[in-house]
């Protein structure tokens, strides 16, 4: 059964204002998605729309919050990526209407990317020798550097002290990871997946040295073809292979005593498939000779010294540079070591060619040239350009170079004087398909008044029309710490 009764309700209602918060394009902010890269910030501006004609949107009060923390107030806020974890973050926007004292909750998503697909990777140190990694996109010239003291999002692994080197893994101009090496720390070798910035191979430094003590690597370099990150480290002057971030036992076996010092090696790294890992040479601080090793049964592993290819004792020397994989005149490959004693620089090389039996044979190491180079003890970042067949290094604010068989350097390029100090590290771009196209240069001025005393310059290798061989692409002045190692993946 159903019936009706007389409606005796009160219909003398007062209409109240209802709020909708929109962005500058007029779209409701609720449920929207925004994206920001690590090291950058994003500015979001909103406005309120009401249902009453006399509503004044300027009277609305806004509070922006992440979890329980207030990150901004007002209709316009700038959010920094450093305030958030990598991935998706929920941001709450509370809008209070003073005419009703009602609070409206709007939730939107902010996705934070802590990586770049192409860019600059600069491993630096602070005054206490702590390692700090700076990464910057090369696709966005105005993007900011982002600064990392640890790697990993949910379970961070701190970078150690006394940074050694950083190098990129690459495949067909796609950079999918990097390896970072420090001399001291719980995890002196970490290989990182670039898209996620998560370390996937971590070497524990405790008790993993060839000496049985803690691991303190002093040298690391990937090969020319860095698909799987293969390279070598020096551990107490002894050679060990790194591949996919995993540390192998000693690469040189059957030789009881040798010491390649801090960085005194050169190895065959031309191709990741059939050519790499055939030989290795280095200056031995014990015998005072350049020792030559050929791979006998397994690539990247060496059983004995090739005495017929090694040198006689040379006296006390220091290796300052190496020139792997220059193209020889007969189609083979040539390899070099640059050593110094005081300010006298020595150029040594060997070459490899296929004989009639299609066996790859090397020639005995020989001295090509020697000469005094004043100030060579101050040289930093010896790099070799296999396409130009030139050694390069920096002293002060100038890059110098000399040919493969020479020690007669000439100035190549000098940074314009802008007060940022001397060059402390520099590098060519990682991709070598037909020749280098870019240079990254880091300077440091310990007397600078700025908080960060390091600067970075990106140049393309082409004439600027004024007689300089390099053209400035971008520069970041006083934005990083003191650089030690640079990796460029910009093409």
């Amino acid at each position: 059964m159903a019936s009706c009764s007389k409606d005796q309700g009160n219909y003398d209602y007062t209409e109240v204002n209802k709020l909708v918060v929109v962005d500058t394009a007029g779209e409701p902010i609720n449920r929207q998605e925004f994206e920001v890269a690590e090291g950058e910030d994003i500015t979001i501006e909103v406005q309120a729309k009401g249902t009453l004609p006399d509503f004044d949107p300027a009277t609305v009060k806004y509070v922006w919050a992440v979890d329980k923390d207030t990150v901004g107030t007002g209709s316009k806020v700038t959010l920094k990526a450093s305030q958030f974890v990598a991935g998706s973050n929920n941001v709450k926007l509370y809008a209070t209407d003073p005419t009703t004292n009602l609070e409206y909750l709007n939730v939107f998503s902010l996705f934070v990317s802590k990586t770049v697909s192409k860019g600059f990777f600069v491993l630096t140190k602070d005054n206490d020798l702590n390692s700090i990694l700076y990464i910057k996109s090369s696709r966005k010239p105005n993007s900011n550097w982002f600064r990392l003291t640890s790697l990993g999002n949910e379970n961070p692994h701190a970078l150690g002290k006394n940074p050694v080197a950083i190098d990129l893994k690459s495949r067909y101009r796609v950079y999918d990871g990097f390896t970072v090496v420090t001399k001291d720390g719980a995890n002196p070798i970490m290989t990182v997946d670039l898209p996620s910035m998560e370390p996937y191979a971590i070497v524990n430094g405790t008790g993993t040295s060839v000496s049985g003590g803690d691991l303190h690597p002093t040298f690391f370099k990937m090969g020319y073809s860095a698909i799987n990150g293969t390279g070598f480290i020096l551990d107490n002057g002894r050679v060990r292979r790194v591949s996919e971030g995993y540390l192998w036992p000693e690469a040189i076996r059957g030789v009881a005593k040798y010491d390649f010092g801090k960085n005194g090696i050169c190895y065959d790294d031309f191709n990741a498939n059939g050519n790499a890992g055939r030989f290795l040479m280095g200056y031995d601080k014990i015998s005072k000779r350049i020792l030559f090793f050929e791979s006998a049964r397994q690539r990247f592993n060496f059983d004995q010294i090739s005495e017929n290819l090694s040198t006689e004792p040379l006296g006390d020397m220091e290796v300052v540079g190496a020139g792997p994989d220059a193209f020889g005149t007969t189609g083979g490959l040539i390899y070099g070591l640059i050593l110094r004693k005081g300010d006298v620089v020595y150029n040594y090389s060997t070459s490899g060619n296929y004989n009639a039996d299609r066996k790859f044979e090397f020639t005995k190491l020989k001295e090509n040239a020697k000469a005094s180079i004043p100030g060579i003890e101050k040289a930093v970042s010896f790099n070799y350009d296999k396409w130009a067949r030139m050694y390069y290094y920096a002293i002060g604010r100038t890059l110098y170079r000399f040919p493969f068989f020479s020690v007669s350097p000439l100035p190549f390029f000098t940074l314009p004087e802008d007060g940022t100090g001397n060059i402390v590290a520099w590098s060519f771009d990682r991709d070598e398909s037909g020749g280098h196209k870019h240079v990254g240069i880091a300077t440091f001025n310990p007397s600078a008044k700025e908080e960060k005393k390091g600067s970075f310059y990106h140049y393309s290798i082409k004439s600027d029309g004024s007689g300089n061989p390099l053209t400035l692409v971008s520069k970041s002045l006083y934005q990083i710490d003191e650089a030690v190692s640079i990796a460029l993946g910009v093409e």
Side-chain angles (χ1 to χ4, degrees):
M1 297 178 64
S3 64
C4 295
S5 66
K6 186 175 181 180
D7 185 356
Q8 298 182 2
N10 176 11
Y11 289 96
D12 187 16
Y13 294 156
T14 300
E15 186 176 356
V16 297
N17 191 48
K18 294 182 180 179
L19 281 186
V20 176
V21 180
V22 300
D23 60 17
T24 53
E27 296 295 326
I29 195 73
N30 201 35
R31 307 292 183 189
Q32 280 203 44
E33 295 182 354
F34 298 88
E35 183 173 348
V36 62
E38 177 66 28
E40 298 180 353
D41 50 36
I42 184 172
T43 298
I44 303 174
E45 187 172 2
V46 297
Q47 56 186 350
K49 291 186 176 181
T51 56
L52 296 182
D54 59 349
F55 166 69
D56 182 5
T59 62
V60 176
K61 296 182 179 180
Y62 301 93
V63 176
W64 310 69
V66 177
D67 294 328
K68 296 181 181 180
D69 297 327
T70 298
V71 295
T73 59
S75 62
K76 185 176 181 180
V77 69
T78 297
L79 303 174
K80 297 181 179 296
S82 58
Q83 296 174 277
F84 304 90
V85 299
S88 184
N89 296 264
N90 285 329
V91 181
K92 298 176 181 179
L93 173 60
Y94 298 94
T96 302
D97 182 357
T99 63
T100 62
N101 209 31
L102 292 176
E103 186 177 70
Y104 293 78
L105 173 62
N106 301 269
V107 181
F108 61 89
S109 175
L110 180 65
F111 184 84
V112 177
S113 172
K114 289 185 177 287
T115 185
V116 299
S117 57
K118 296 183 186 295
F120 316 113
F121 300 75
V122 183
L123 184 61
T124 73
K125 62 183 178 181
D126 64 14
N127 291 335
D128 296 320
L129 304 180
N130 296 304
S131 301
I132 304 166
L133 177 59
Y134 288 85
I135 302 178
K136 184 179 187 293
S137 172
S138 60
R139 289 182 161 178
K140 301 177 181 179
N142 296 323
S143 62
N144 296 320
W145 292 92
F146 61 93
R147 180 179 185 270
L148 298 171
T149 56
S150 62
L151 296 169
N153 298 313
E154 295 184 2
N155 184 25
H157 298 273
L159 292 167
K161 288 194 171 188
N162 291 299
V164 172
I166 184 170
D167 215 340
L168 287 170
K169 290 176 55 185
S170 62
R171 182 191 293 267
Y172 309 119
R173 300 186 180 183
V174 175
Y175 308 97
D176 60 0
F178 61 87
T179 296
V180 60
V181 177
T182 60
K183 183 179 178 183
D184 304 306
N187 306 117
I189 305 174
M190 290 189 279
T191 299
V192 182
D193 173 68
L194 187 54
S196 67
M197 288 298 288
E198 285 291 340
Y200 65 85
I202 301 172
V203 176
N204 188 328
T206 304
T208 53
S209 171
V210 294
S211 65
D214 294 344
L215 178 65
H216 299 286
T218 59
F219 169 87
F220 170 71
K221 183 180 182 297
M222 284 187 189
Y224 160 76
S225 184
I227 293 173
N228 59 4
T230 297
F232 287 106
I233 69 163
L234 282 174
D235 168 15
N236 278 321
R238 302 180 75 87
V239 181
R240 301 178 72 178
R241 181 187 175 209
V242 176
S243 182
E244 288 288 355
Y246 293 98
L247 181 62
W248 291 59
E250 283 200 67
I252 296 175
R253 303 169 186 178
V255 181
K257 291 185 178 181
Y258 74 91
D259 181 359
F260 286 150
K262 181 180 178 180
N263 63 344
I265 64 171
C266 172
Y267 60 90
D268 183 18
D269 66 350
F270 179 67
N271 186 293
N273 300 317
N275 294 328
R278 295 172 304 182
F279 98 93
L280 181 145
M281 65 178 176
Y283 173 76
D284 175 26
K285 297 175 73 67
I286 297 176
S287 68
K288 316 296 184 185
R289 298 189 299 159
I290 301 176
L291 301 182
F292 194 97
F293 297 84
E294 290 184 87
S295 177
R297 292 178 293 272
Q298 184 181 5
R299 291 188 303 121
F300 303 106
N301 291 281
F302 309 95
D303 294 334
Q304 60 185 359
I305 301 170
S306 299
E307 293 288 354
N308 61 319
L309 302 178
S310 301
T311 68
E312 300 300 320
L314 304 175
D316 289 319
M317 296 275 196
E318 176 189 349
V319 174
V320 293
D325 302 326
F327 296 110
T329 56
T330 60
L333 299 172
I334 50 179
Y335 305 82
L337 274 178
I338 306 298
L339 302 92
R340 76 173 181 92
K341 181 188 297 184
D343 66 357
V344 179
V345 178
Y346 300 79
N347 182 318
Y348 281 83
S349 71
T350 180
S351 62
N353 292 278
Y354 286 102
N355 62 20
D357 298 324
R358 300 300 296 166
K359 179 183 178 182
F360 205 82
E361 293 184 338
F362 293 94
T363 60
K364 183 178 178 63
L365 278 155
K366 66 176 182 178
E367 180 187 303
N368 299 310
K370 68 176 181 180
S372 173
I373 302 179
I376 192 64
E377 72 280 358
K378 299 177 183 178
V380 297
S381 298
F382 256 83
N383 288 300
Y384 181 72
D385 183 350
K386 65 187 296 177
W387 306 98
R389 299 178 70 181
M390 288 277 189
Y391 290 100
Y392 293 76
Y393 62 91
I395 297 178
R397 291 180 67 82
T398 299
L399 297 181
Y400 297 85
R401 68 177 182 176
F402 56 83
F404 185 84
F405 294 109
S406 164
V407 283
S408 301
L410 291 173
F412 173 66
F413 175 76
T414 300
L415 285 172
E417 184 54 59
D418 58 6
T420 56
N422 291 333
I423 299 171
V424 290
W426 73 277
S427 180
F428 293 112
D429 51 323
R430 187 65 182 88
D431 182 74
E432 297 185 10
S433 300
H436 298 292
K437 300 179 179 64
H438 301 270
V439 172
I441 302 174
T443 61
F444 184 75
N445 181 358
S447 301
K449 296 179 180 179
E450 288 79 2
E451 179 182 0
K452 302 297 180 186
K453 303 182 187 302
S455 302
F456 184 84
Y457 303 80
H458 172 205
Y459 282 89
S460 62
I461 305 177
K462 62 181 181 181
S463 175
D464 67 353
S466 301
N468 292 313
L470 305 180
T471 297
L472 181 66
V473 179
S474 64
K475 60 183 178 180
S476 305
L477 304 186
Y478 304 112
Q479 294 183 25
I480 61 174
D481 289 281
E482 183 177 0
V484 173
S485 177
I486 298 171
L488 271 69
V490 299
E491 286 275 324

